[in-house]
Amino acid sequence: MEAQGSRRRQLPVLLLWVNGLMTLGFAGARQQTELCNESLMLEKLPACGKSFEEMMKKVDSKKWCNLTEFIMYYDNFTQCTEREANNASCFWPNPLAEGFITGIHKQFFSNCTSEEVHWEDPPDEILITLILIPVMLTCAMITLVVWCSKRSDIL
């Protein structure tokens, strides 16, 4: 009996220990202990941009706004910037990497503005119906609840 009591007292300690291990990264999450070398990252990122630029030369400039035409190239570019940021012990995305990526976007996709959608209200008949149905259902439910609460004999 004493062994069971001792085990019960040890269980919370064991659970706290396991939680601590998982919090510290025992489950696979690594902590970043090195400082970000921003100058190294900024030195390496242009190589990613140059590679992306070379790949985009294969795509007709009229198709630059169609993501399906260059999605693989963009994926390679994204992975390259992430890899270089991680090699410099920096998290990704970070403000410097985002600034670099934004520059690439301005270079290639500045003319890719989306057409603005013009929203219109539905016709009055449909709008009135869409408004009145929930109002009527709410009134009916309130009436039903009040009626049922007054008739406690059926509950």
Side-chain angles (χ1 to χ4, degrees):
M1 284 300 223
E2 285 184 32
Q4 286 180 345
S6 174
R7 286 184 185 150
R8 286 184 184 160
R9 279 181 259 138
Q10 291 175 349
L11 183 62
V13 174
L14 178 66
L15 291 174
L16 284 172
W17 180 72
V18 169
N19 184 31
L21 285 177
M22 293 185 75
T23 303
L24 290 174
F26 186 69
R30 74 164 206 212
Q31 291 182 332
Q32 188 169 351
T33 56
E34 298 177 31
L35 293 176
C36 175
N37 188 344
E38 293 176 347
S39 59
L40 176 64
M41 182 184 65
L42 288 175
E43 182 182 310
K44 297 291 184 175
L45 285 179
C48 298
K50 188 71 172 165
S51 174
F52 182 68
E53 189 175 338
E54 292 297 319
M55 290 185 279
M56 286 299 284
K57 286 180 181 177
K58 299 175 187 175
V59 179
D60 183 19
S61 62
K62 295 175 184 171
K63 296 181 180 181
W64 281 1
C65 295
N66 184 357
L67 187 62
T68 57
E69 295 290 329
F70 61 87
I71 188 68
M72 292 300 295
Y73 304 147
Y74 192 81
D75 182 52
N76 290 341
F77 168 70
T78 304
Q79 288 179 10
C80 180
T81 57
E82 184 174 4
R83 182 177 52 252
E84 294 303 338
N86 289 334
N87 287 344
S89 300
C90 301
F91 63 91
W92 187 91
N94 60 55
L96 293 174
E98 286 178 359
F100 178 76
I101 293 169
T102 301
I104 294 293
H105 279 224
K106 286 179 183 176
Q107 180 181 350
F108 289 98
F109 312 122
S110 60
N111 295 329
C112 299
T113 56
S114 61
E115 294 178 15
E116 224 175 280
V117 178
H118 180 69
W119 296 97
E120 286 186 24
D121 287 338
D124 287 342
E125 299 81 27
I126 294 175
L127 189 61
I128 290 171
T129 305
L130 290 173
I131 292 171
L132 286 179
I133 288 175
V135 170
M136 299 302 280
L137 284 173
T138 303
C139 291
M141 292 303 295
I142 291 171
T143 303
L144 183 64
V145 167
V146 169
W147 181 73
C148 286
S149 67
K150 288 185 178 185
R151 299 217 35 208
S152 60
D153 60 330
I154 57 173
L155 297 175

